[in-house]
């Protein structure tokens, strides 16, 4: 998986090619360990999810803390997003994808372009949900983050990393 991600970020096209599977001797020579090998395969996905969830929780806590301290929605959204996005970028770069330094400037610009778009979308979606739908700020925040999580995952997967 890491090779595929590295190939994609280096500009290579990635495609699948069907192959015929042939088992010799009913696959008695296989060294596949279902549990350990499955963990190794899914570990990057698990790490990405944990990174996203932990930074999402951080964003939620900082958002409500800043909103309580300032009473200002835009300050709360931007402040929470700055803190959580720096943490998320560093976790994804160093722990999840283990990106090389030569990729840093390329991924950093794309990542923060996405972060800027998400900040703007976050503010306007929160304004929309709280003012037109009469949802509580908590419900609006959870709903907004769910929408933006899906958008962010798709964008990071296909365009950033």
């Amino acid at each position: 998986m890491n090779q595929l991600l590295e190939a994609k970020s280096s500009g290579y096209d990635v495609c699948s090619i069907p192959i015929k599977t042939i088992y010799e001797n009913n696959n008695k020579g296989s060294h596949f360990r279902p549990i350990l090998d499955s963990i190794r395969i899914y570990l990057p996905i698990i790490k990405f999810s944990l990174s996203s969830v932990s930074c999402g929780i951080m964003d939620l806590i900082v958002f409500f803390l800043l909103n309580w301290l300032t009473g200002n929605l835009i300050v709360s959204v931007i402040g929470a997003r700055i803190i959580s996005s720096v943490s998320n970028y560093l976790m994804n770069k160093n722990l999840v994808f283990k990106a090389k330094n030569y990729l840093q400037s390329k991924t950093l610009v794309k990542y923060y372009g996405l972060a800027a778009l998400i900040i703007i979308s976050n503010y306007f979606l929160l304004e929309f949900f709280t003012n037109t739908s009469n949802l509580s700020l908590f419900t609006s925040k959870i709903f907004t983050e769910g929408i933006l999580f899906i958008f962010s995952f798709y964008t990071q997967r296909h365009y950033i990393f």
Side-chain angles (χ1 to χ4, degrees):
M1 178 178 271
N2 287 338
Q3 287 178 333
L4 291 173
L5 294 171
E6 180 70 26
K8 180 78 172 162
S9 67
S10 296
Y12 290 95
D13 289 331
V14 178
C15 63
S16 23
I17 301 171
I19 60 169
K20 187 184 283 189
T21 304
I22 300 171
Y23 294 107
E24 294 180 8
N25 224 6
N26 284 333
N27 206 27
K28 288 184 180 178
S30 174
H31 299 291
F32 182 72
R33 300 166 309 219
I35 295 174
L36 290 175
D37 291 340
S38 294
I39 289 171
R40 290 181 64 208
I41 290 167
Y42 292 111
L43 192 59
I45 296 168
I46 293 168
K47 288 194 292 187
F48 182 81
S49 297
L50 289 173
S51 168
S52 297
V53 168
S54 64
C55 290
I57 291 168
M58 178 189 308
D59 183 81
L60 191 66
I61 291 168
V62 172
F63 169 79
F64 281 106
L65 180 64
L66 288 174
N67 194 58
W68 177 70
L69 290 171
T70 67
N72 187 315
L73 185 62
I74 190 76
V75 169
S76 303
V77 168
I78 291 173
R81 190 61 62 180
I82 287 171
I83 291 168
S84 67
S85 71
V86 168
S87 299
N88 188 253
Y89 174 79
L90 291 172
M91 279 189 230
N92 286 346
K93 178 186 173 289
N94 296 317
L95 301 174
V96 177
F97 299 106
K98 296 182 180 172
K100 308 288 186 261
N101 284 337
Y102 66 87
L103 296 174
Q104 184 170 344
S105 61
K106 183 178 176 183
T107 59
L108 188 65
V109 169
K110 288 180 180 181
Y111 182 87
Y112 278 102
L114 174 64
L117 179 61
I118 288 176
I119 288 173
I120 293 166
S121 301
N122 193 298
Y123 176 76
F124 285 111
L125 284 171
L126 281 171
E127 279 287 327
F128 174 77
F129 291 135
T130 55
N131 292 332
T132 60
S133 302
N134 293 327
L135 295 174
S136 71
L137 186 59
F138 182 80
T139 305
S140 297
K141 180 69 173 164
I142 297 298
F143 195 57
T144 297
E145 292 304 325
I147 292 168
L148 294 177
F149 176 82
I150 294 166
F151 174 73
S152 177
F153 175 78
Y154 179 84
T155 305
Q156 287 185 52
R157 182 175 160 207
H158 291 285
Y159 300 108
I160 297 176
F161 298 113

